[in-house]
């Protein structure tokens, strides 16, 4: 059977045998160049000697066909001999044949946020129905709920809503992760756009990603998206849309870049049934004639991008030894949810002593920045640096890089094809409706029965705040010390990347509306350090990056900083840990003091002066706001040792011991060389005799009390 016929056969299968179809597609068993010979299955040979089966391979060698059994398939792993499973769409979704690809590129200079001039206009279109519709995607409303899926979606010929007029831009979004519902030409160079709500819902209009062709250079075009629903937006705080030109990519190797003038986010007059809508408008000049361009809310990262990345790991003879890729479950559209297990293989009982760290991402499909952080984490943890090796030796990492592939594929912003927010359903028992979060929760529960999980982190994007920050859980009603201890890791992270991560923006509480989130459910299951990491769609207000957008390298660098902070948190030298705890106690005192001041109507300035005289120069009198004080306090690194100082301290401590201890963990090595990451400076060499022993001193109690 030829490869083309196999693909056609799989796409034509009925729903009843989708399971086998998925596995057969996923585990392609024929490699074109195995032994430089031809292979056939017995099913494709008319010889009655062989039964009709795909389990016997016929290998042509030395002028004759030699039968042999097909190698057993790893039904829960990634095949190294063929492509990954094709993406499956709801059957009614129209999908173009063209595969959209973008180059990976980082601008050589920070991209500044937009500064309003005060002259931005607010276009309103009361009579838009009389104008020319140049793009319309009607397929999204053919079904009220998910029915079944197909590889490639709708097979009927695609409709083109308008002929190629000379001066009219052509729009397209019927590709993976694309989102655009309707485009109306309201003037010669002005277009009104409507983005599609999440499939099988009537809301969550935030993510957009579409193609524009038939461009003219030097013309000022205006684009206005009219059906956003959030009153507040980062576009009012300087965020610019993203733009990609295929001609720029080919000629100058330039990828996604921030663009736009006359940017404004405002309430419009399109309210219906008591709901108010908001518009985003911007102007732009295309750099080339007849170019193929794209606009997006954030840097796209598709399900296909993830599969290609995982395939590269699996085909790498080094990384595949300590990174095992398995299928956690299938979504309701029969797409695969992958889980990665990353650790140094151990063949003895020591492996049960390893503690676990869990990372997940893309439960909200439109928050693509979370995938770039995840990619940065995987790049680093799978690298060959001594720090990465130490992490793999010390921990078992369980990673679910894309929890909602269905939503990612169809271009949703928040929901799955069940029409629900998966991150509100971690407590649900409906396995068939929310398979990815059900199996993730179950996997973590089983893992906790075998070993201690010291940290859980779910990666997200944030549409209204700048910087990167974390949400934790509230333990103040149980134990004050425990409540402060769970803030130590975010505080360390803020010190390791002070120009991106804001500790003052972190919150540690549990709202009733968030009780179904992964963060809260894992915390209630017993994981003390249970966090949501939120990354802005815009940029930073901190340090050297103040007033600039985050690019993909900035987001990827957070993956490195996460690893670096994890090593700080679990450093056998507890100096940094207890110094952070001391700082948090001081913060708590000042917060409590301000509450007392509010209750007693006492002058903050007078009390602050008293504090200054009794605390040897406290600068708390410089600000009347606790958040400002916290920001200043958390930015101080003088009490915490750098990586160089930490290594030197460890060497000094071990050299001054009266009776050297024998290390019984030979796989734990001293961090005597700086990692290969280009994010941090190089460390000095430290003697090979100086090694870590993570089990010599106990970690802080990780259980709830």
């Amino acid at each position: 059977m030829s490869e083309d016929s196999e693909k056609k056969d799989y796409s034509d299968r009925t729903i009843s045998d989708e399971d086998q179809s998925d596995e057969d597609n996923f585990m392609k068993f024929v490699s074109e160049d195995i032994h430089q010979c031809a292979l056939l299955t017995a099913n494709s040979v008319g010889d009655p000697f062989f039964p009709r089966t795909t389990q016997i391979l016929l290998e042509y060698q030395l002028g004759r066909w030699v039968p042999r059994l097909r190698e057993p398939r790893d039904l829960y792993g990634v095949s190294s001999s063929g492509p990954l499973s094709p993406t499956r769409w709801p059957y009614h979704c129209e999908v173009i044949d063209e595969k959209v690809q973008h180059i990976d590129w980082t601008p050589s200079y920070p991209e500044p946020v937009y500064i309003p001039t005060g002259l931005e206009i607010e276009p309103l279109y009361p009579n838009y129905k009389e104008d020319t519709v140049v793009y319309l995607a009607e397929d999204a409303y053919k079904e009220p709920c998910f029915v079944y899926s197909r590889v490639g979606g709708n097979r009927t010929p695609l409709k083109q809503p308008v002929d190629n007029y000379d001066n009219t831009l052509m729009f397209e979004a019927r590709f993976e992760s694309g989102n655009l519902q309707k485009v109306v030409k309201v003037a010669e160079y002005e277009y009104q756009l409507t983005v599609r709500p999440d499939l099988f819902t009537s809301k969550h209009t935030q993510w957009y990603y579409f193609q524009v062709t038939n461009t003219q250079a030097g013309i000022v075009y205006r684009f206005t998206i009219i059906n956003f629903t959030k009153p507040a937006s980062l576009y009012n705080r300087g965020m610019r849309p993203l733009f990609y030109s295929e001609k720029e990519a080919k000629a100058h190797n330039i990828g996604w870049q921030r663009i736009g003038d006359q940017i404004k986010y405002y309430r419009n007059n399109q309210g219906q049934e008591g709901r108010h809508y908001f518009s985003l408008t911007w102007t732009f000049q295309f750099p080339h004639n007849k170019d193929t361009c794209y606009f997006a809310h954030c840097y796209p990262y598709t399900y296909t991008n993830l599969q290609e990345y995982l395939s590269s790991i699996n085909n790498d003879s080094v990384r595949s030894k300590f990174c095992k890729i398995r299928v956690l479950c299938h979504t309701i559209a029969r797409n695969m949810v992958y889980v990665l297990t990353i650790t140094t293989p151990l063949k003895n009982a020591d492996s049960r002593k390893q503690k676990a760290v869990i990372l997940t991402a893309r439960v909200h499909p439109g928050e693509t920045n979370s995938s770039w952080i995840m990619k940065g984490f995987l790049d680093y943890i799978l690298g060959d640096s001594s720090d990465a090796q130490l992490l793999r030796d010390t921990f078992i990492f369980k990673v679910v890089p894309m929890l909602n592939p269905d939503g990612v594929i169809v271009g949703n912003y928040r929901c799955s094809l069940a029409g629900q927010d998966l991150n509100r359903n971690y407590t649900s028992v409906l396995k068939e409706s929310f398979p990815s979060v059900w199996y993730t929760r179950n996997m973590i529960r089983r893992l906790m029965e075998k070993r201690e999980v010291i940290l859980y982190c779910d990666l997200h994007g944030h549409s209204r705040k700048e910087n990167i920050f974390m949400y934790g859980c509230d333990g103040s009603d149980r134990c004050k010390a425990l409540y402060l201890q769970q803030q130590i890791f975010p505080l360390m992270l803020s010190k390791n990347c002070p120009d991106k991560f804001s500790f003052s923006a972190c919150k540690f509480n549990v709202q009733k509306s968030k009780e179904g989130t992964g963060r809260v459910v894992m915390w209630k299951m017993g994981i003390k350090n249970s966090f949501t990491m939120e990354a802005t769609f815009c940029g930073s207000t901190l340090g050297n990056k103040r007033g600039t957008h985050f690019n993909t390298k900035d987001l990827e660098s957070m993956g490195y900083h996460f690893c670096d902070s994890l090593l700080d948190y679990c450093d056998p030298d507890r100096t940094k840990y207890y110094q952070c705890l001391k700082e948090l106690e001081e913060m708590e005192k000042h917060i409590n003091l301000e509450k007392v001041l509010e209750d007693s109507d006492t002058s903050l300035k007078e009390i602050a002066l008293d504090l200054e005289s009794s605390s040897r120069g406290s600068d708390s009198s410089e600000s009347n706001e606790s958040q400002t004080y916290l920001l200043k306090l958390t930015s101080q690194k003088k009490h915490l040792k750098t990586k160089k100082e930490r290594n030197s301290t460890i060497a000094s401590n071990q050299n001054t011991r009266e009776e050297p201890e024998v290390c019984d963990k030979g796989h734990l090595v001293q961090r005597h060389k700086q990692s290969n990451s280009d994010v941090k400076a190089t460390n000095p060499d430290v003697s090979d005799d100086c090694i870590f022993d993570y089990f010599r001193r106990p970690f802080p109690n990780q259980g709830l009390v």
Side-chain angles (χ1 to χ4, degrees):
M1 182 181 294
S2 69
E3 183 176 347
D4 290 339
S5 63
E6 279 190 336
K7 291 182 178 178
K8 181 177 180 181
D9 178 61
Y10 289 132
S11 63
D12 288 338
R13 288 183 188 268
T14 61
I15 305 174
S16 61
D17 59 2
E18 282 182 352
D19 288 350
Q20 184 62 35
S21 174
D22 278 337
E23 303 297 354
D24 287 344
N25 260 312
F26 179 65
M27 306 301 297
K28 195 81 170 177
F29 62 88
V30 177
S31 179
E32 295 292 338
D33 57 353
I34 292 181
H35 307 306
Q36 296 184 349
C37 62
L39 293 102
L40 293 174
T41 62
N43 192 35
S44 62
V45 179
D47 193 330
F49 176 78
F50 293 107
R52 294 184 60 82
T53 177
T54 60
Q55 301 305 310
I56 297 178
L57 296 181
L58 302 179
E59 197 171 278
Y60 192 74
Q61 293 181 339
L62 302 176
R64 64 189 183 91
W65 291 100
V66 179
R68 66 176 175 85
L69 285 176
R70 170 179 170 179
E71 293 294 329
R73 298 178 301 171
D74 182 359
L75 297 181
Y76 299 97
V78 175
S79 170
S80 61
S81 60
L84 297 175
S85 175
T87 56
R88 304 183 70 90
W89 298 67
Y91 84 96
H92 55 80
C93 286
E94 296 178 349
V95 185
I96 62 175
D97 292 331
E98 175 189 0
K99 302 302 180 184
V100 175
Q101 294 181 326
H102 306 297
I103 65 170
D104 189 9
W105 173 79
T106 304
S108 58
Y109 57 89
E111 297 177 291
V113 299
Y114 177 73
I115 300 177
T117 63
L119 302 177
E120 292 82 7
I121 65 172
E122 300 180 356
L124 299 175
Y125 306 105
N127 299 317
Y128 70 91
K129 293 182 180 179
E130 300 177 3
D131 298 310
T132 304
V133 176
V134 298
Y135 177 83
L136 181 63
E138 297 179 308
D139 59 291
Y141 301 102
K142 288 184 177 180
E143 296 287 354
C145 62
F146 175 77
V147 180
Y148 67 94
S149 65
R150 283 176 176 166
V151 174
N154 193 344
R155 300 192 188 116
T156 60
L158 300 183
K159 301 182 295 295
Q160 297 298 332
V162 66
D163 293 332
N164 190 1
Y165 297 135
D166 291 341
N167 297 323
T168 299
L169 295 178
M170 305 298 293
F171 294 80
E172 184 59 83
R174 294 171 294 182
F175 48 81
E176 189 175 355
S177 294
N179 187 312
L180 186 63
Q181 180 64 42
K182 183 179 180 180
V183 181
V184 177
K185 185 176 182 180
V186 296
E188 185 67 18
Y189 303 110
E190 188 167 350
Y191 295 85
Q192 174 193 275
L193 291 75
T194 303
V195 296
R196 175 183 55 74
D198 284 3
L199 280 183
F200 316 123
T201 78
S202 60
K203 50 187 178 180
H204 305 303
T205 51
Q206 183 77 30
W207 169 255
Y208 61 87
Y209 174 30
F210 57 88
Q211 180 191 88
V212 180
T213 55
N214 199 36
T215 61
Q216 296 183 65
I219 300 295
V220 178
Y221 290 90
R222 177 176 289 276
F223 303 92
T224 304
I225 301 175
I226 65 168
N227 65 327
F228 289 126
T229 56
K230 291 187 177 182
S233 172
L234 286 168
Y235 288 109
N236 267 343
R237 304 176 70 90
M239 179 173 160
R240 298 176 185 261
L242 278 165
F243 168 78
Y244 185 96
S245 162
E246 289 193 354
K247 286 191 174 182
E248 283 290 292
K250 185 176 181 180
H252 306 293
N253 200 38
I254 294 177
W256 288 101
Q257 51 189 319
R258 299 284 180 173
I259 55 87
D261 292 308
Q262 299 293 310
I263 301 171
K264 182 115 186 214
Y265 187 89
Y266 58 96
R267 178 174 165 180
N268 60 37
N269 62 343
Q270 303 298 318
Q272 299 176 0
E273 299 178 357
R275 296 180 62 183
H276 297 289
Y277 292 91
F278 298 82
S279 292
L280 167 66
T281 188
W282 74 92
T283 60
F284 179 65
Q285 297 184 46
F286 291 100
H288 302 283
N289 291 319
K290 304 297 182 182
D291 196 3
T292 298
C293 303
Y294 299 85
F295 291 98
H297 178 62
C298 191
Y299 301 98
Y301 194 96
T302 66
Y303 183 56
T304 297
N305 292 148
L306 173 66
Q307 289 191 308
E308 291 173 348
Y309 183 82
L310 297 183
S311 182
S312 69
I313 294 173
N314 193 71
N315 294 332
D316 188 309
S317 59
V318 176
R319 292 185 295 173
S320 60
K321 291 180 180 178
F322 46 77
C323 178
K324 300 303 179 184
I325 306 171
R326 298 292 182 263
V327 177
L328 176 67
C329 64
H330 288 77
T331 66
I332 61 177
R334 304 302 301 160
N335 290 301
M336 296 182 182
V337 179
Y338 300 100
V339 59
L340 284 60
T341 302
I342 303 171
T343 192
T344 301
L346 298 176
K347 299 182 183 297
N348 50 42
D350 289 342
S351 63
R352 295 188 63 86
K353 297 181 181 179
Q354 289 177 295
K355 295 176 172 61
V357 177
I358 300 166
L359 268 80
T360 61
R362 289 300 283 281
V363 68
H364 294 150
E367 297 170 1
T368 59
N369 40 7
S370 68
S371 279
W372 291 101
I373 295 177
M374 177 63 77
K375 179 180 180 296
F377 166 79
L378 292 174
D379 284 345
Y380 185 77
I381 199 67
L382 298 177
D384 57 2
S385 69
S386 58
D387 283 1
Q389 178 67 52
L390 182 58
L391 285 166
R392 296 193 300 265
D393 290 346
T394 309
F395 301 109
I396 291 180
F397 293 88
K398 289 286 187 178
V399 180
V400 185
M402 191 171 286
L403 281 162
N404 191 353
D406 290 350
V408 171
I409 290 169
V410 302
N412 279 3
Y413 174 64
R414 197 169 184 87
C415 296
S416 70
L417 292 184
Q420 298 290 323
D421 183 346
L422 292 180
N423 201 36
R424 297 296 183 272
N425 285 281
Y426 272 89
T427 57
S428 175
V429 297
L430 302 178
K431 179 171 62 174
E432 292 76 14
S433 297
F434 315 113
S436 61
V437 296
W438 190 94
Y439 278 98
T440 298
R441 182 189 65 199
N442 202 44
M443 178 265 292
I444 295 173
R445 179 179 288 113
R446 293 199 311 270
L447 184 66
M448 293 177 68
E449 294 173 354
K450 299 178 181 178
R451 65 187 74 250
E452 182 181 359
V453 177
I454 67 165
L455 189 144
Y456 163 90
C457 187
D458 188 23
L459 306 180
H460 284 256
H462 206 283
S463 64
R464 290 175 288 122
K465 291 183 179 181
E466 293 95 344
N467 306 313
I468 300 172
F469 51 94
M470 278 180 161
Y471 292 141
C473 297
D474 182 6
S476 58
D477 59 337
R478 303 187 181 189
C479 175
K480 180 180 178 181
L482 183 61
Y483 173 63
L484 294 180
Q485 286 176 19
Q486 67 176 326
Q487 300 181 34
I488 292 176
F489 182 81
L491 180 56
M492 287 181 169
L493 194 53
S494 71
K495 293 176 181 294
N496 286 332
C497 49
D499 57 350
K500 301 184 188 74
F501 191 94
S502 171
F503 182 77
S504 63
C506 297
K507 294 182 180 180
F508 302 90
N509 55 45
V510 176
Q511 299 174 337
K512 189 171 182 59
S513 61
K514 303 296 179 66
E515 290 183 348
T517 63
R519 164 177 61 96
V520 176
V521 170
M522 302 311 158
W523 177 68
K524 290 184 176 180
M525 285 170 54
I527 303 176
K528 183 192 72 173
N529 292 301
S530 184
F531 303 110
T532 297
M533 181 186 287
E534 299 276 357
T536 181
F537 286 113
C538 185
S540 176
T541 63
L542 307 170
N544 295 331
K545 289 195 169 293
R546 181 182 180 89
T548 62
H549 289 87
F550 287 148
N551 55 47
T552 55
K553 293 303 178 186
D554 291 323
L555 296 171
E556 289 176 17
S557 73
M558 285 305 302
Y560 161 77
H561 291 304
F562 181 93
C563 294
D564 191 38
S565 300
L566 185 60
L567 284 172
D568 285 340
Y569 183 78
C570 298
D571 192 343
D573 180 358
R574 310 308 292 163
T575 303
K576 180 175 287 190
Y577 180 95
Y578 289 115
Q579 183 59 51
C580 283
L581 185 59
K582 182 179 178 181
E583 289 191 24
L584 290 167
E585 290 172 348
E586 291 296 321
M587 294 180 201
E588 188 76 7
K589 289 179 182 179
H590 281 273
I591 293 174
N592 292 336
L593 176 61
E594 290 189 351
K595 290 180 180 178
V596 172
L597 295 180
E598 292 175 359
D599 295 339
S600 62
D601 294 325
T602 305
S603 168
L604 176 63
K605 184 176 180 180
E606 294 177 1
I607 300 298
L609 289 174
D610 291 340
L611 277 175
E612 183 176 8
S613 64
S614 63
S615 60
R616 293 184 296 174
S618 170
D619 62 357
S620 60
S621 62
E622 296 178 2
S623 174
N624 289 341
E625 297 185 12
S626 61
Q627 292 297 327
T628 303
Y629 171 75
L630 294 182
L631 182 59
K632 291 180 180 179
L633 187 58
T634 57
S635 65
Q636 298 174 358
K637 290 200 70 165
K638 62 182 181 180
H639 297 300
L640 299 183
K641 297 177 182 178
T642 64
K643 189 179 296 183
K644 294 179 182 179
E645 295 169 335
R646 183 177 64 214
N647 290 340
S648 298
T649 300
I650 295 169
S652 176
N653 288 342
Q654 294 201 1
N655 289 335
T656 57
R657 287 176 181 167
E658 295 181 2
E659 295 182 6
E661 298 180 48
V662 178
C663 177
D664 60 348
K665 304 293 174 185
H667 68 281
L668 294 179
V669 298
Q670 166 62 27
R671 299 172 66 194
H672 63 281
K673 295 179 181 179
Q674 167 57 12
S675 67
N676 292 343
S677 171
D678 59 359
V679 183
K680 287 209 166 186
T682 303
N683 281 343
D685 289 340
V686 179
S687 170
D688 289 339
D689 294 332
C690 177
I691 62 176
F692 276 145
D693 186 352
Y694 273 81
F695 301 93
R696 182 172 296 146
R697 302 186 187 181
F699 288 168
N701 181 18
Q702 302 294 333
L704 289 173
V705 295

